[in-house]
Amino acid sequence: MKLKYLLILIILFIVIPTVKGDVKNYLKVYDLRCDYLKNPLGIDNLHPQFSWKISSQKKHIIQQSFEIQIAQTIGDLVTGKSLLFDAKLNTSSNLFNYNSEKLKEKTRYYWRVRVTDAEGNTSQWSEINWFETSIISKSSWVAKWIKNPLFNDDSLNSKPAPYFRKSFTINNVPKNGRIYVTGLGYFELYINGKKVGDHILDPVKTRYDKSVKYLTFDITDHLKIGENVIGLVLGTGWYNHFANAVWRFDSAPWRSYPELICQAEIDFENGEKIQVNSDETWKTAQGPILFDGIRNGETYDARMEISGWSESGFDDTKWKQAILSDSPKGKLSSQMIEPIKEIQEIKPVSVKEVKPGVWVFDMGQNIAGYCRLKTAGPTGARISLKHGEKLYPDGSVEQKQILRFLKSGEAQTDHYILRGEGMEVFKPHFVYHGFQYVEVLGLTHTPTLETLTGIVLYTSFENVGNFLCSDQTLNLLQQNTRWSFIGNYHGIPTDCPHREKIGWTGDAQLVAEAGLMNYKTQRAYIKWLDDFVDEQQENGDLPGVIPSSGWGYEYGKNPETRHLGYGPQWEGAFIQLTWDLYLHTGDTTILSRFYAPMKKYINFLYQNTDNYTLNFGIDDHKPVSTKTEGDILASGYLYNFTNIMSKIASILKEEEDQSYFDTQIPKIKNAFNKKYYDAKTGTYGNGGQTSLALALYFQLVPEGENQKVFKNLLQNIEEHNYHFDVGVVGLKFLYNVLREYGKSEILYKMVTQKDIPGYAYWLEQGANTLWQDWDGSMSHNHIMFGTVSEWFFESIAGIQLDSETPGMQHFYIKPDLIPQLTWASAEHENRFGKIISSWVKKENYTIYNIEIPANSSASFRLPTINLSLIEINGETLNQSEKDVIYQQDQVHFLKLYSGKYNIVVKNH
């Protein structure tokens, strides 16, 4: 083994590709991804997509072509022998969709890329990356679904978490070992006494009667010669949601007791193979996790811990034999999403005894996660941890809003029963909570700040963006938006991490662009779009919540339209998010993957129109004073989504569909204006901010009427003393319309209002996340007002997509120099690399610092067309460079190619 890897290293140093020119420190290929993931273990796609980035110290770098190689060993790859795939394509695209039929399941492959620029210079080969396929064929699953025999009744009540173990013997050092496994609702995996991986709350939530996710783990280093043990513990999660709550997950069609499937495959150098599969020979028992409910909390009795249960030599004669279970109806597929992990630890900022024996810890930040408790006490002492985000006047934890829809059991309360053997440590296994405060009862000693630690959990996607400026109010709002975004992503985007934990479609679609600018959410969003496909009815209908228990298809008090649901302003997240992903990635496979079900959904809308408008749907959610009815929102979104579907059909060359959508566009527009527009006054609907901004945002206003409608919008804002009078849907429209019409300074006034309704009002009240409503009476961790972060990136910093060049290979830099700000800066890591846009005002000039990734370009909006006032990297923009200046919609732009730019613009 050691000799083999030594030879590979020697090859890596000796084999140097022949390249044209000195490319050292000049042209480098980096950040290789397979299906958006870095070295993914266990993809269930035999036609994956590959991507990479280019870095260079030189400017104006454009990829002319690329070469990609794939092999089954590193040695084959670096020597160029026995290559599985070797292709060279003349294109500037850094996405490659593999369409060959040569890949096999359960196999590791190695790959690398090199590129050639427009001048014919070829980079060195990239670092070698790998990907490994998982079980793909249903027939390859030999393992069986099993459960504890005590979980064989029909009551589906709460029971202690089941533990499972299986011992087996190996006689040689393994070459490699893989385990393909899942346990519903959640599982933890152990090999020889050690937890495998750093994931939390696997698998991610799905509609289990349609899809079940499994994980692949490399267990090679966990194995040893002799007896080995696989151990699993199962939690209820969403699979057996027994708590009674309004969303009816307790009556979900998939509900069943916890069960698992596990298939371990071990290979040896001599060609021997061992397979260990879950079946009736596995042993099972119950242990210290007496109770776990995703909304209720977890109870753990340390006196019942089973020492050594997942290690060799353990006596399991008193354990019961596992029994076969009726497997979930959902199709098994690999969990192709970044896992939920413990990302950050937070120390409390204070602890107070609010009543005798009642201690309240303030974490100083509203988070989603759980706590680690360190304490000592007598055997059997019971310590309770009650989590919440608000306090009563006496300082104790208040849960009124959290308990609002939960009809059975406690909310967010964990219990730990001490073993009584010195210092003990507890943290829950199968729950998470939303909280800033923790009320602790039962401590036998005065606690310190070291007694409790907050642990932040969320889907572990990467950070790709941030924003800062000279106004601390905006900086805090950016920070609060990010806290609410990660606090509401645990396998799916949720509305709040405490009360509901469910995937409200409207909340997610309204902040998708903000999410994409701040985090690398592509893979996570694709998983959620798959959930839409699982949920969709035969007639194309979708609910307002994804995944759903069957709840969420009905909305409103009108019995004639109630069955039609929340409308496209909510359920249309399916189309909007797919389109947003495409614009940010340029990945047409996303469009083709979801085209048929999206078409099915919009046809459902067409079938329920009344003269090309819709008469159902949720109103503008959480308005201030003016209520905007759901029908005008739904009709506006119908027009918008028809436009989007026409564009998608064109991209996918679905010409017949495109022609059909194109015929619908003018009919819907004319019907909308006939029903909602008063041409004499230039108002729409109720004349409120939402109605006016909707028509402008979706470009529904008749030709030549825009300024009249926009004037009414400005007048409305002025009449409200520059306060918002919108809900979350109208807020999205308002941000974009005021930005497009060059009125960001008005938005600044509205955002920084310190009374209701205003974001700064929240800050005045101590908010460190975004709230659910303007007065703060409800949830204190909702993401639906997070459009503000989108405005920071796209308006103040000015980083904007070019819809004609999806994937940001070309983009715009159009910063709004708001008078109240002296400087602003943002960065965003996109498909091609890092974009930086910053500006700072000086007395007589403004400095812009811009960075454009290699293989891409940007158009910088010129604040003046007097070239003598503009310097780029210390040189005046001269007459010969006029060819890089162009005019678009009466605005002048300077074309910038890859590189770093210091642009100084004098005031006069």
Side-chain angles (χ1 to χ4, degrees):
M1 287 283 287
K2 291 181 179 179
L3 179 61
K4 172 184 173 182
Y5 289 113
L6 180 60
L7 290 172
I8 290 173
L9 286 171
I10 292 171
I11 291 171
L12 286 170
F13 281 107
I14 293 177
V15 179
I16 300 175
T18 302
V19 296
K20 179 183 176 181
D22 180 14
V23 295
K24 186 177 181 181
N25 297 322
Y26 160 49
L27 197 59
K28 181 181 179 182
V29 182
Y30 72 104
D31 195 19
L32 276 64
R33 304 283 172 140
C34 175
D35 280 346
Y36 294 94
L37 301 172
K38 181 79 170 176
N39 294 332
L41 176 66
I43 68 170
D44 59 357
N45 180 10
L46 295 181
H47 299 95
Q49 181 188 84
F50 301 98
S51 66
W52 54 92
K53 296 174 183 173
I54 305 168
S55 67
S56 175
Q57 294 178 355
K58 289 187 67 177
K59 290 184 178 180
H60 202 159
I61 295 299
I62 299 294
Q63 174 187 295
Q64 186 72 30
S65 64
F66 71 85
E67 186 175 1
I68 182 170
Q69 294 180 339
I70 305 174
Q72 210 162 322
T73 70
I74 294 176
D76 287 344
L77 196 63
V78 297
T79 60
K81 297 178 180 178
S82 302
L83 292 175
L84 187 75
F85 186 81
D86 186 5
K88 184 173 183 178
L89 280 79
N90 293 316
T91 175
S92 64
S93 175
N94 61 347
L95 294 180
F96 175 69
N97 297 313
Y98 179 84
N99 292 314
S100 175
E101 300 296 329
K102 294 182 179 180
L103 299 186
K104 300 178 293 184
E105 68 174 11
K106 298 187 291 184
T107 306
R108 176 167 292 196
Y109 297 95
Y110 299 88
W111 66 291
R112 63 181 183 176
V113 174
R114 64 180 175 185
V115 302
T116 299
D117 68 12
E119 296 179 356
N121 298 299
T122 301
S123 72
Q124 293 185 355
W125 284 106
S126 67
E127 290 184 352
I128 293 172
N129 277 34
W130 55 265
F131 64 96
E132 187 169 314
T133 56
S134 60
I135 295 179
I136 296 174
S137 171
K138 185 178 180 180
S139 61
S140 296
W141 279 104
V142 182
K144 301 173 182 178
W145 284 94
I146 61 172
K147 64 182 178 182
N148 187 301
L150 297 177
F151 289 66
N152 207 28
D153 57 67
D154 296 326
S155 68
L156 298 181
N157 290 328
S158 167
K159 294 185 179 183
Y163 284 59
F164 296 83
R165 72 186 308 272
K166 174 65 178 180
S167 65
F168 60 97
T169 301
I170 60 177
N171 298 316
N172 297 301
V173 175
K175 177 183 176 183
N176 61 64
R178 297 291 181 270
I179 196 162
Y180 308 98
V181 58
T182 195
L184 300 177
Y186 296 129
F187 75 91
E188 288 185 349
L189 171 68
Y190 296 82
I191 303 286
N192 294 327
K194 294 183 179 179
K195 187 175 184 290
V196 178
D198 56 357
H199 301 192
I200 307 294
L201 302 178
D202 276 334
V204 294
K205 181 183 179 182
T206 55
R207 177 161 180 154
Y208 304 105
D209 56 345
K210 298 293 181 67
S211 294
V212 173
K213 298 300 181 184
Y214 73 89
L215 285 297
T216 303
F217 293 101
D218 183 346
I219 60 170
T220 310
D221 294 338
H222 288 266
L223 300 172
K224 61 181 182 179
I225 295 175
E227 183 187 11
N228 291 262
V229 177
I230 299 172
L232 281 105
V233 192
L234 304 185
T236 60
W238 295 95
Y239 190 55
N240 184 28
H241 189 284
F242 42 75
N244 180 10
V246 299
W247 309 281
R248 299 203 299 265
F249 280 94
D250 57 319
S251 59
W254 60 73
R255 265 196 74 191
S256 186
Y257 279 123
E259 53 192 322
L260 70 88
I261 189 168
C262 178
Q263 186 163 311
E265 301 184 7
I266 305 164
D267 297 331
F268 300 89
E269 291 286 357
N270 61 6
E272 179 189 1
K273 295 179 182 291
I274 292 178
Q275 193 161 314
V276 183
N277 303 312
S278 52
D279 57 21
E280 306 95 317
T281 65
W282 284 47
K283 291 295 196 71
T284 181
Q286 292 175 322
I289 304 174
L290 304 183
F291 175 91
D292 67 285
I294 190 64
R295 287 200 172 98
N296 305 115
E298 185 168 302
T299 300
Y300 188 94
D301 189 342
R303 298 170 301 177
M304 300 182 67
E305 287 180 343
I306 311 169
S307 178
W309 70 275
S310 62
E311 299 178 29
S312 58
F314 177 78
D315 182 4
D316 63 8
T317 55
K318 293 183 179 180
W319 284 39
K320 298 179 182 298
Q321 297 292 131
I323 62 172
L324 299 182
S325 64
D326 295 328
S327 59
K329 295 178 181 178
K331 178 184 176 183
L332 275 168
S333 60
S334 184
Q335 184 165 298
M336 295 289 294
I337 173 177
E338 298 89 345
I340 300 169
K341 291 185 178 183
E342 296 182 349
I343 305 294
Q344 183 180 348
E345 294 191 357
I346 293 182
K347 295 292 185 183
V349 295
S350 69
V351 56
K352 297 178 182 178
E353 188 175 24
V354 298
K355 299 175 185 177
V358 180
W359 298 90
V360 172
F361 290 78
D362 180 358
M363 309 311 297
Q365 174 64 49
N366 197 336
I367 67 172
Y370 44 56
C371 287
R372 181 173 62 238
L373 170 71
K374 290 184 179 181
T375 190
T379 301
R382 185 185 185 94
I383 299 175
S384 299
L385 287 71
K386 179 181 176 181
H387 303 75
E389 57 178 10
K390 298 180 184 180
L391 298 176
Y392 284 114
D394 66 359
S396 60
V397 168
E398 182 243 288
Q399 289 188 331
K400 285 193 298 185
Q401 281 298 322
I402 295 173
L403 287 166
R404 184 179 172 201
F405 301 118
L406 182 62
K407 307 302 181 184
S408 65
E410 299 174 300
Q412 298 203 137
T413 302
D414 300 328
H415 301 279
Y416 180 69
I417 303 169
L418 274 74
R419 185 171 55 251
E421 298 176 2
M423 187 61 68
E424 301 180 38
V425 179
F426 162 73
K427 64 180 180 180
H429 300 73
F430 300 123
V431 297
Y432 76 96
H433 313 302
F435 64 99
Q436 177 168 338
Y437 306 101
V438 188
E439 183 177 297
V440 182
L441 284 75
L443 293 171
T444 58
H445 303 284
T446 300
T448 69
L449 296 180
E450 303 300 317
T451 301
L452 216 61
T453 301
I455 300 176
V456 180
L457 305 180
Y458 61 90
T459 296
S460 55
F461 33 59
E462 301 165 45
N463 174 60
V464 296
N466 211 345
F467 167 86
L468 281 171
C469 70
S470 58
D471 190 324
Q472 186 63 4
T473 294
L474 303 191
N475 294 337
L476 288 173
L477 290 176
Q478 165 69 0
Q479 180 177 297
N480 290 7
T481 302
R482 287 169 61 87
W483 273 112
S484 280
F485 192 87
I486 61 174
N488 282 290
Y489 220 113
H490 297 84
I492 61 169
T494 62
D495 60 329
C496 56
H498 37 67
R499 186 179 69 204
E500 302 184 38
K501 294 183 170 73
I502 54 179
W504 281 104
T505 50
D507 299 49
Q509 73 99 347
L510 292 169
V511 298
E513 288 189 76
L516 287 161
M517 291 302 289
N518 281 283
Y519 295 100
K520 192 176 182 65
T521 54
Q522 289 90 341
R523 192 67 247 178
Y525 277 148
I526 290 170
K527 180 269 171 192
W528 193 50
L529 291 171
D530 284 336
D531 293 333
F532 278 79
V533 178
D534 285 346
E535 187 61 49
Q536 190 172 39
Q537 304 298 294
E538 279 302 312
N539 66 353
D541 195 10
L542 289 165
V545 169
I546 301 285
S548 170
S549 64
W551 184 91
Y553 284 93
E554 297 184 348
Y555 175 79
K557 297 179 180 179
N558 187 339
E560 295 182 4
T561 59
R562 178 176 172 80
H563 67 286
L564 297 174
Y566 288 80
Q569 57 266 48
W570 239 239
E571 302 145 5
F574 190 29
I575 295 175
Q576 187 64 60
L577 182 52
T578 301
W579 184 243
D580 287 343
L581 277 173
Y582 169 68
L583 292 180
H584 277 263
T585 65
D587 183 358
T588 58
T589 66
I590 296 173
L591 300 181
S592 57
R593 179 176 185 146
F594 300 111
Y595 181 71
M598 286 192 300
K599 180 180 167 185
K600 198 174 176 181
Y601 173 67
I602 202 164
N603 282 332
F604 166 79
L605 296 179
Y606 291 155
Q607 290 160 14
N608 290 284
T609 57
D610 177 10
N611 190 26
Y612 298 100
T613 61
L614 297 174
N615 296 323
F616 62 91
I618 187 172
D619 303 335
D620 193 6
H621 192 49
K622 295 300 176 187
V624 182
S625 58
T626 303
K627 177 182 178 182
T628 305
E629 302 285 351
D631 62 324
I632 188 172
L633 299 177
S635 298
Y637 271 102
L638 178 67
Y639 178 76
N640 180 50
F641 290 150
T642 301
N643 270 296
I644 290 175
M645 290 301 294
S646 172
K647 294 173 184 176
I648 294 173
S650 174
I651 293 163
L652 299 180
K653 303 190 185 311
E654 298 284 349
E655 295 175 2
E656 187 176 338
D657 288 349
Q658 182 189 358
S659 177
Y660 174 71
F661 293 132
D662 286 346
T663 64
Q664 300 302 300
I665 290 170
K667 295 176 182 177
I668 297 169
K669 182 173 183 176
N670 291 337
F672 183 90
N673 283 307
K674 183 178 180 180
K675 184 174 181 178
Y676 299 110
Y677 184 49
D678 184 338
K680 292 181 180 178
T681 61
T683 59
Y684 277 88
N686 56 22
Q689 293 176 16
T690 293
S691 297
L692 294 168
L694 175 152
L696 291 163
Y697 180 55
F698 288 149
Q699 299 180 20
L700 279 157
V701 181
E703 188 174 352
E705 301 281 295
N706 282 42
Q707 285 302 322
K708 182 164 60 174
V709 176
F710 184 64
K711 182 180 178 181
N712 283 329
L713 177 60
L714 294 181
Q715 182 178 336
N716 184 292
I717 293 170
E718 186 176 352
E719 288 171 354
H720 284 85
N721 196 25
Y722 296 94
H723 284 82
F724 292 111
D725 187 27
V726 294
V728 292
V729 180
L731 190 69
K732 173 83 171 182
F733 305 151
L734 201 59
Y735 275 124
N736 283 275
V737 168
L738 290 176
R739 184 198 75 201
E740 284 298 315
Y741 281 75
K743 297 296 182 181
S744 275
E745 73 276 9
I746 291 178
L747 272 172
Y748 176 86
K749 281 186 183 180
M750 300 172 81
V751 168
T752 55
Q753 294 284 8
K754 293 185 178 181
D755 57 349
I756 299 173
Y759 285 89
Y761 169 76
W762 294 347
L763 299 179
E764 292 287 307
Q765 307 307 306
N768 51 53
T769 44
L770 301 182
W771 291 358
Q772 184 185 6
D773 54 352
W774 290 113
D775 65 9
S777 61
M778 301 184 75
S779 162
H780 280 191
N781 195 353
H782 260 63
I783 186 55
M784 60 189 184
F785 283 100
T787 317
V788 67
S789 182
E790 176 189 335
W791 175 61
F792 295 155
F793 281 96
E794 297 185 358
S795 177
I796 298 177
I799 302 172
Q800 296 180 24
L801 295 166
D802 177 1
S803 60
E804 299 300 316
T805 313
M808 300 186 80
Q809 190 156 22
H810 175 265
F811 54 94
Y812 291 98
I813 301 288
K814 300 195 289 185
D816 291 333
L817 275 62
I818 295 172
Q820 295 86 345
L821 301 181
T822 57
W823 63 270
S825 178
E827 61 181 49
H828 171 66
E829 183 87 18
N830 74 350
R831 167 183 143 190
F832 294 93
K834 183 180 287 188
I835 299 168
I836 294 177
S837 174
S838 69
W839 54 266
V840 58
K841 296 175 187 174
K842 300 294 184 179
E843 185 176 352
N844 296 314
Y845 56 91
T846 301
I847 303 172
Y848 301 85
N849 281 295
I850 298 169
E851 185 170 336
I852 315 296
N855 204 26
S856 67
S857 64
S859 292
F860 171 65
R861 183 177 62 194
L862 290 170
T864 177
I865 58 172
N866 186 343
L867 302 188
S868 65
L869 298 178
I870 302 173
E871 288 184 0
I872 301 179
N873 295 336
E875 297 183 4
T876 302
L877 189 62
N878 57 47
Q879 196 74 17
S880 65
E881 293 172 302
K882 275 190 173 181
D883 60 334
V884 297
I885 296 176
Y886 68 96
Q887 187 172 341
Q888 179 178 306
D889 298 329
Q890 299 181 333
V891 178
H892 287 82
F893 290 94
L894 173 67
K895 190 71 172 287
L896 302 176
Y897 296 92
S898 65
K900 296 180 180 180
Y901 298 88
N902 177 268
I903 302 175
V904 177
V905 179
K906 299 174 185 177
N907 295 344
H908 50 77

